[in-house]
């Protein structure tokens, strides 16, 4: 049952007094959605539970989890927002209200490509502008993610239009907010419904090369750990398989250039996590002295972070003189931001009052507005 999974996740980072509101919201939603079923035939409550679970994975605060559990009670069950406010307070009520209002926006599919693109851009702006509180956008993204996961229950036509909207609006929004963890899932799920044949082809290619890829990466990690150990550098390393949609985009770029997409190095990258910023530069030094770096492939996103806050060193080297290999080097803190982006600044941290991250959050919002 999803509720115990949610409780388990949330208890991992929320103190027990904060769990009270999460439990109360669950009980309220359970009663409100009683007898309702999703198109899939599953009890409706499964949906808000899954949305809350996604937010618990981002380690968002108790109000976000409560609002996620309650996000459809106004829209679907006709419960007045005043009742939500009376029971759960104004913070949770505002989040529920914001999410309900965002639900009313949608992409009009009429007009040409340019009109469509302009509309998509407008909608993205609106989503951000309307969300006085970015937690509303996180709820909306998690809501969309679960809807995408359960898309098979809808007609093919509906599947396609929802997948298209997700790829044009929600995935880019997750990207701008730097929430990689949601972005890649939204992209892959959309792609699976929009281009099922191509999706399966790539998934098969990835699966077929798995064993080869894993032994390749194990070998590289072994060599590198010896070198790091020699210079006293502590690092965690892992192979990072690319997600299906990013492989598809790379294939498209290759075919435009007349290149053939085939090699395993196109399917993976190595990730190196270290403790400090100086360690990042030491690690890249070790790597470059071991294998020849490819010209123009080195990017210092630590000194020059991406607009969404992403920081890392990127390089590509000629492994054993024959195989190009992409490598990302970052600290663990940078890694957290790389996975969860702006949501990391809304993360619940014990012992800290809500406005401690205020400055960080304002900086984020300012950046967002500047992009628009
Ligand atoms: Mn929903």
């Amino acid at each position: 049952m999803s509720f115990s999974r949610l409780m388990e996740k949330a208890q991992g980072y929320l103190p027990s007094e904060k769990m009270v509101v999460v439990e109360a919201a669950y009980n309220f939603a359970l009663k409100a959605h009683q007898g309702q079923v999703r198109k899939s035939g599953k009890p409706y409550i499964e949906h808000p539970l899954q949305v809350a679970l996604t937010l618990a994975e981002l380690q968002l605060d108790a109000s976000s989890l409560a609002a996620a559990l309650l996000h459809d009670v106004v829209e679907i069950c006709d419960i007045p927002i005043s009742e939500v406010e009376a029971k759960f307070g104004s913070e949770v009520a505002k989040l529920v209200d914001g999410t309900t209002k965002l639900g009313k926006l949608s992409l009009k599919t009429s007009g040409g490509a340019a009109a469509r693109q302009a509309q998509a851009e407008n909608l993205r702006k609106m989503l951000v502008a309307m969300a006085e509180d970015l937690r509303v956008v996180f709820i909306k993204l998690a809501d969309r993610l679960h809807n995408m996961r359960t898309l098979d229950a809808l007609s093919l036509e509906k599947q396609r239009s929802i997948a298209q909207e997700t790829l044009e609006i929600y995935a880019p929004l997750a990207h701008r907010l730097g929430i990689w963890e949601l972005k890649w899932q939204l992209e892959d799920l959309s792609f699976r419904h929009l281009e099922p044949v191509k999706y399966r082809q790539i998934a098969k290619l990835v699966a077929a090369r798995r064993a080869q890829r894993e032994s390749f990466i194990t070998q590289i990690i072994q060599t590198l750990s010896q070198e790091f150990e020699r210079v006293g550098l502590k690092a965690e390393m892992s192979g990072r398989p690319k997600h299906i949609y990013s492989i598809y985009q790379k294939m498209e770029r290759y075919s435009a250039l007349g290149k053939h997409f085939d090699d395993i190095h196109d399917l993976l990258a190595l990730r190196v996590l270290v403790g400090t910023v100086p360690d990042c530069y030491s690690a890249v030094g070790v790597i470059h002295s071991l294998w020849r770096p490819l010209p123009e492939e080195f990017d210092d996103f630590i000194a020059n972070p991406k607009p969404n806050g992403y920081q890392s060193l990127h390089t590509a080297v000629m492994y054993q003189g024959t195989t190009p290999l992409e490598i990302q080097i970052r600290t663990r803190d940078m890694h957290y931001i790389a996975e969860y982006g702006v949501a990391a600044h809304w993360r619940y941290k014990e012992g800290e009052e809500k406005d401690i991250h205020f400055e960080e959050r304002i900086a984020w919002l300012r950046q967002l507005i500047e992009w628009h």
Side-chain angles (χ1 to χ4, degrees), residues 47 71-72 143:
H47 169 66
H71 83 273
D72 274 335
D143 177 47

Side-chain angles (χ1 to χ4, degrees), residues 29-31 60 79 84 88 100 131 158 164 207 210 213-214 226 237 239 259 295 320 323 325 328 337:
L30 185 66
K31 210 169 146 217
L60 293 190
I79 285 170
V84 175
F88 299 97
T100 308
K158 259 228 120 127
Q164 190 72 42
R210 181 163 294 135
R213 220 166 53 223
E214 279 166 5
Q226 280 167 11
M237 285 175 274
K259 276 166 68 178
Q320 295 182 328
T323 313
L325 171 73
Q328 299 174 335
I337 299 280

Side-chain angles (χ1 to χ4, degrees), residues 119-284:
Q119 263 177 337
E121 181 57 26
N122 273 335
L123 192 48
R124 273 197 293 273
K125 279 185 211 168
M126 251 192 296
L127 278 166
V128 175
M130 278 182 68
E132 283 178 42
D133 189 326
L134 265 180
R135 290 178 296 180
V136 169
V137 179
F138 306 150
I139 297 171
K140 196 65 202 163
L141 287 171
D143 177 47
R144 179 52 62 117
L145 179 62
H146 186 248
N147 286 337
M148 288 302 298
R149 284 179 180 157
T150 51
L151 213 51
D152 288 330
L154 304 183
S155 71
L156 272 177
E157 196 191 333
K158 259 228 120 127
Q159 288 182 23
R160 288 189 62 84
S161 85
I162 293 173
Q164 190 72 42
E165 188 185 69
T166 302
L167 200 56
E168 286 178 7
I169 295 168
Y170 292 93
L173 186 61
H175 175 76
R176 284 198 192 191
L177 296 173
I179 314 174
W180 167 256
E181 195 49 38
L182 297 183
K183 175 201 144 128
W184 79 263
Q185 296 186 62
L186 290 170
E187 282 185 346
D188 275 9
L189 287 163
S190 302
F191 185 55
R192 183 160 78 81
H193 289 278
L194 290 169
E195 299 280 0
V197 175
K198 284 180 187 155
Y199 179 92
R200 274 196 299 275
Q201 274 171 355
I202 297 172
K204 267 171 83 174
L205 176 71
V206 171
R209 300 295 183 83
R210 181 163 294 135
Q212 195 184 359
R213 220 166 53 223
E214 279 166 5
S215 80
F216 181 68
I217 213 79
T218 309
Q219 207 183 321
I220 293 165
I221 290 176
Q222 252 167 20
T223 310
L224 264 183
S225 6
Q226 280 167 11
E227 285 302 303
F228 285 159
E229 208 169 300
R230 234 168 32 86
V231 300
L233 201 62
K234 281 203 172 60
E236 288 163 45
M237 285 175 274
S238 57
R240 179 181 67 90
K242 291 179 173 156
H243 70 294
I244 306 260
Y245 187 65
S246 77
I247 294 172
Y248 167 72
Q249 285 176 310
K250 193 161 186 177
M251 284 175 157
E252 292 289 285
R253 280 199 301 276
Y254 271 35
S255 78
L257 296 168
K259 276 166 68 178
H260 188 53
F261 185 97
D262 188 36
D263 297 310
I264 41 169
H265 65 260
D266 285 324
L267 297 175
L268 94 170
L270 181 72
R271 180 174 294 147
V272 179
L273 297 184
V274 293
T276 65
V277 171
D279 286 351
C280 293
Y281 292 100
S282 305
V284 83

